[in-house]
Amino acid sequence: MQILDSKIKNYYFVIAFIILEAFTAVYWHDNFDQMLANHAEDLQKESRTAFLNTLTSFGLIAQTYVDQVVNQPDIKYILRQSQDSAGVRTSQAILNKKLANSYHLVLRQGVREMYFFNHQNQLINRFYEQSRMNPTIEVRTPYSVKLANTKQIPLYGFEENRVFNGFRYVFPVKDSTQISLGVVSLDVDFNTIRKQMYHTYPKSTTLIINRNNIRSSSMRNSVGAYQRTDIHAQYIVESKVAQEDEKINTDSITLGTKKQINKILQVLAFESINSQKTFTLNVPVRGQFYAVSFIPILNFEKVQIAYLVTYVVDNEYAQIESYFYSRMAFSTIILLLIVAFVNFELRSIFRIRQKNRELEFTTNNLRHSDLTKERFLSFIAEDLKNPFPFMIGYAKAVVDEYDVLSDDKKREFVHIILNAAESGSHLVENLLEWSRLQREEFQPNPEEFNVAEVIDM
């Protein structure tokens, strides 16, 4: 029974350990998730900050060009004369001559294209690349141009439906009386942004664009400009960026490694990429962890149409993971020691209580035995006392009246004294036997006898 009780108690302790270990695992897992979330947030912040700083630097270049070149009286005069179709055709050649040299300067600083629109959102002129100014190409009026012409405020942001997508800096142009003359737009493609960004943030970056946001007409006019990304079938990447990736290996991430990462991301990022939220995934490749951050890019209409994707060699993830497993192991050892100590202490308490119960039981037995002995001895004392008055009385009668008593009387008195003495002797012998039984000194003395004779009796 004690063995069974012990097994049951051990079972309880095992259950208690499992429950405590489960709570500990949940606690450390939550702690691990929080550390990973903080780490991911730091990576995202670094990437986003470097990206925004790069955009700001190009914005300053664009702002400076507009202030020092476009907002000059002669350029404003040309724009004032371009408010109808006839004026647009006349102004194109003049703008080419006036702005050719200055455009070459901002072109070297990273501005890829420059557009002039009048107040009616008609294209006046388009500058792009050194040898291709004033092209005869139909340009759809961008939403950003319409918005800047309407609100008369400078804007910058991502604009889709363009070959080699990038960021557009749009500035309204006004005359001295604050009457709108139109807008000028300076555009920087993403590959230029990425190269500039690398100077302050030497990580591998790319821009993946949701193909649903690229108009079919734009896609037809941009054959070869895009290719499907390895990350998700719904997203495309500029071919120029992909070609640059083959030449640049940043942060010890080779093109082969990036392709392996993207292959794994096809599964890991399948659901998250549709959430249109910032997220970071840790991808293991050949024993090394890589953190891939996805930062959503919004257009002028505040619609998410692309992701800035950053690849980082993530050595800190292994450290966080090692910290998690070491804390789990340490907690398990501490729990085992605590449970073992509690088990030992409770067993000691149980043993002491068992000894106390046994001692109490023995004490009660002794108390009962003493009480029994006292009663027994009181009975024996009475039985032992009873024969002696007879013996003394008859012996005294014999002594005092010896000469008077007859021989028969004397014989009778002597028999009475003898019987009383024998009775007392048997009583003493029984008392001695009882005493030996109490002291467990009784030695059995078996004897053979005929059962039939006993029955016959």
Side-chain angles (χ1 to χ4, degrees), residues 126-328:
R126 177 190 181 201
F127 295 82
Y128 75 111
E129 302 178 0
Q130 293 186 12
S131 60
R132 300 180 63 188
M133 290 181 286
N134 190 24
T136 57
I137 183 173
E138 182 180 352
V139 176
R140 183 179 63 88
T141 304
Y143 173 82
S144 57
V145 170
K146 297 177 182 178
L147 188 63
N149 256 330
T150 301
K151 293 190 174 183
Q152 288 297 297
I153 57 173
L155 302 170
Y156 81 93
F158 189 90
E159 188 98 66
E160 64 270 33
N161 301 330
R162 294 176 53 244
V163 180
F164 302 116
N165 291 265
F167 279 76
R168 176 166 286 165
Y169 300 84
V170 186
F171 300 90
V173 181
K174 303 176 184 178
D175 63 11
S176 57
T177 60
Q178 297 300 306
I179 296 176
S180 175
L181 302 175
V183 295
V184 57
S185 171
L186 292 91
D187 303 346
V188 182
D189 64 55
F190 177 74
N191 206 41
T192 302
I193 292 173
R194 185 174 70 156
K195 290 179 180 179
Q196 181 64 30
M197 184 177 168
Y198 182 76
H199 293 298
T200 57
Y201 187 70
K203 310 296 180 184
S204 178
T205 57
T206 190
L207 185 79
I208 60 174
I209 307 160
N210 192 329
R211 65 188 307 151
N212 289 339
N213 293 296
I214 305 296
R215 295 182 184 272
S216 58
S217 59
S218 178
M219 291 294 292
R220 286 195 299 269
N221 294 330
S222 307
V223 176
Y226 300 99
Q227 64 185 56
R228 190 176 70 86
T229 178
D230 297 332
I231 299 174
H232 196 282
Q234 193 61 40
Y235 282 78
I236 56 178
V237 62
E238 295 176 15
S239 299
K240 187 175 182 180
V241 174
Q243 293 167 3
E244 290 289 341
D245 273 343
E246 296 181 1
K247 302 175 184 178
I248 302 174
N249 294 327
T250 58
D251 200 27
S252 302
I253 302 179
T254 63
L255 182 62
T257 300
K258 185 180 288 188
K259 287 183 177 180
Q260 286 185 298
I261 295 172
N262 290 344
K263 187 176 181 180
I264 297 173
L265 287 174
Q266 289 178 7
V267 178
L268 294 181
F270 184 78
E271 294 184 2
S272 300
I273 205 169
N274 294 322
S275 67
Q276 300 184 357
K277 295 180 180 179
T278 302
F279 63 95
T280 298
L281 298 174
N282 293 96
V283 182
V285 175
R286 295 195 296 270
Q288 176 66 56
F289 282 99
Y290 298 88
V292 185
S293 298
F294 292 76
I295 299 174
I297 303 298
L298 306 181
N299 64 5
F300 284 97
E301 298 173 81
K302 305 302 179 183
V303 177
Q304 190 268 326
I305 44 81
Y307 275 108
L308 173 69
V309 184
T310 306
Y311 301 80
V312 178
V313 177
D314 193 2
N315 295 319
E316 190 171 342
Y317 181 87
Q319 297 175 2
I320 296 174
E321 190 177 49
S322 175
Y323 174 84
F324 167 70
Y325 286 120
S326 64
R327 288 299 178 269
M328 276 295 300

Side-chain angles (χ1 to χ4, degrees), residues 389-401 413 417:
F390 289 101
M391 293 170 61
I392 293 172
Y394 283 102
K396 188 175 181 181
V398 172
V399 172
D400 292 342
E401 298 181 7
F413 286 176
I417 293 171

Side-chain angles (χ1 to χ4, degrees), residues 82-91 118 122:
S82 305
Q83 300 305 310
D84 53 33
S85 299
V88 168
R89 287 191 298 270
T90 305
S91 301
N118 63 19
Q122 291 179 296

Side-chain angles (χ1 to χ4, degrees), residues 386-433:
N386 288 336
F388 287 106
F390 289 101
M391 293 170 61
I392 293 172
Y394 283 102
K396 188 175 181 181
V398 172
V399 172
D400 292 342
E401 298 181 7
Y402 184 81
D403 294 332
V404 178
L405 295 175
S406 62
D407 291 337
D408 292 335
K409 250 341 179 180
K410 291 178 182 178
R411 189 177 291 106
E412 180 184 355
F413 286 176
V414 170
H415 277 292
I416 290 172
I417 293 171
L418 178 60
N419 290 335
E422 288 178 350
S423 175
S425 177
H426 286 305
L427 202 57
V428 171
E429 287 180 4
N430 290 335
L431 182 59
L432 291 173
E433 289 294 335

Side-chain angles (χ1 to χ4, degrees), residues 92 100 233 249 255 273 282 303 309 338 341 347 360 372 450:
Q92 285 179 349
N249 294 327
L255 182 62
I273 205 169
N282 293 96
V303 177
V309 184
I338 292 174
F341 175 76
R347 285 181 177 275
E360 185 178 359
T372 302
N450 191 340

